[in-house]
Amino acid sequence: MKKSLGLLCLMFLSSTAHAGYSISAGFGKNFTNSVQTEENLKIELENDSHFTVSLDRTIDNARYGFFYSATELDMKDQANKQVEMQYLLFQSAVEVPLTDHIVGFVGAQIGANHVSTDFADSDTFFTSGLYGGAEYLFSDQARIYVETRWLATIVNNASNISCTLPASENEQCLWHFDGDVLNQFQTNIGFSYRF
């Protein structure tokens, strides 16, 4: 009994040791569009730097896991007004070998963006987006990557649907959404290690 339990533990440890995981860390630049509030106030954020960390499970030509990014942005034309954003996203990507040492990847992400400011209450908003890039393989484990991410955050979470029944067959029922999307683009460079 002890031998079979020991063998089972050894098999579990060896399979875990050979499981494909990767941890990545990088930094880059944010490019953010403007957002208009319900009071028609236009909010513009300065482009600034950020850092990223991700932990992924790797399988044949694909990976999935979690992505974290944090940045602190200044508001344009607003002295001493700052906005801090922290993204936590589930991500999944398909990898495509381009050469012996270069692998391309494209993926999608979904999660939340926690936005806090020094002038209003903090809040968490739904976020989704797409990303893609390429990795240069120094070895099977060590890689350097460049990527671009598009992150779309729904910053107004309130949506109103108004629907009037058609008076005739030629009229249609219309859906109106009262919301705004904060589009942010990230360019990143970083290091990834697989184990």
Side-chain angles (χ1 to χ4, degrees):
M1 179 71 169
K2 287 184 180 180
K3 285 184 179 180
S4 44
L5 182 60
L7 182 61
L8 183 63
C9 289
L10 183 62
M11 286 175 34
F12 174 74
L13 289 174
S14 64
S15 68
T16 304
H18 289 89
Y21 294 93
S22 72
I23 186 163
S24 305
F27 64 95
K29 182 103 173 162
N30 291 314
F31 302 95
T32 308
N33 76 335
S34 62
V35 177
Q36 192 163 338
T37 67
E38 292 178 353
E39 292 80 21
N40 293 322
L41 175 65
K42 191 174 185 180
I43 297 174
E44 293 186 83
L45 300 173
E46 298 280 354
N47 298 326
D48 208 341
S49 59
H50 63 270
F51 75 91
T52 66
V53 176
S54 63
L55 178 63
D56 292 298
R57 173 77 164 100
T58 59
I59 53 178
D60 293 336
N61 297 325
R63 61 186 173 198
Y64 61 91
F66 292 97
F67 171 83
Y68 174 80
S69 174
T71 187
E72 192 172 280
L73 306 170
D74 293 324
M75 292 180 62
K76 289 182 181 178
D77 304 325
Q78 298 285 327
N80 301 321
K81 302 285 187 196
Q82 293 184 330
V83 177
E84 182 180 331
M85 295 185 189
Q86 297 181 63
Y87 290 97
L88 181 60
L89 306 167
F90 175 78
Q91 64 182 5
S92 178
V94 175
E95 299 177 342
V96 179
L98 302 175
T99 68
D100 289 342
H101 294 284
I102 298 176
V103 174
F105 57 90
V106 62
Q109 55 204 359
I110 188 168
N113 180 5
H114 183 74
V115 179
S116 56
T117 68
D118 55 1
F119 55 88
D121 293 337
S122 62
D123 205 347
T124 301
F125 303 100
F126 173 78
T127 301
S128 64
L130 302 171
Y131 67 102
E135 293 178 326
Y136 179 81
L137 285 63
F138 291 107
S139 68
D140 288 340
Q141 290 80 29
R143 302 161 182 233
I144 190 168
Y145 67 89
V146 292
E147 68 179 9
T148 299
R149 290 179 181 261
W150 166 58
L151 301 162
T153 302
I154 299 175
V155 293
N156 185 355
N157 284 349
S159 60
N160 298 324
I161 301 170
S162 64
C163 185
T164 306
L165 293 175
S168 69
E169 292 181 6
N170 294 331
E171 295 179 10
Q172 296 182 0
C173 187
L174 300 177
W175 294 58
H176 299 284
F177 295 93
D178 179 18
D180 209 346
V181 176
L182 173 67
N183 289 301
Q184 191 171 65
F185 295 90
Q186 292 185 347
T187 56
N188 302 321
I189 185 168
F191 179 77
S192 178
Y193 185 80
R194 296 194 174 196
F195 54 95

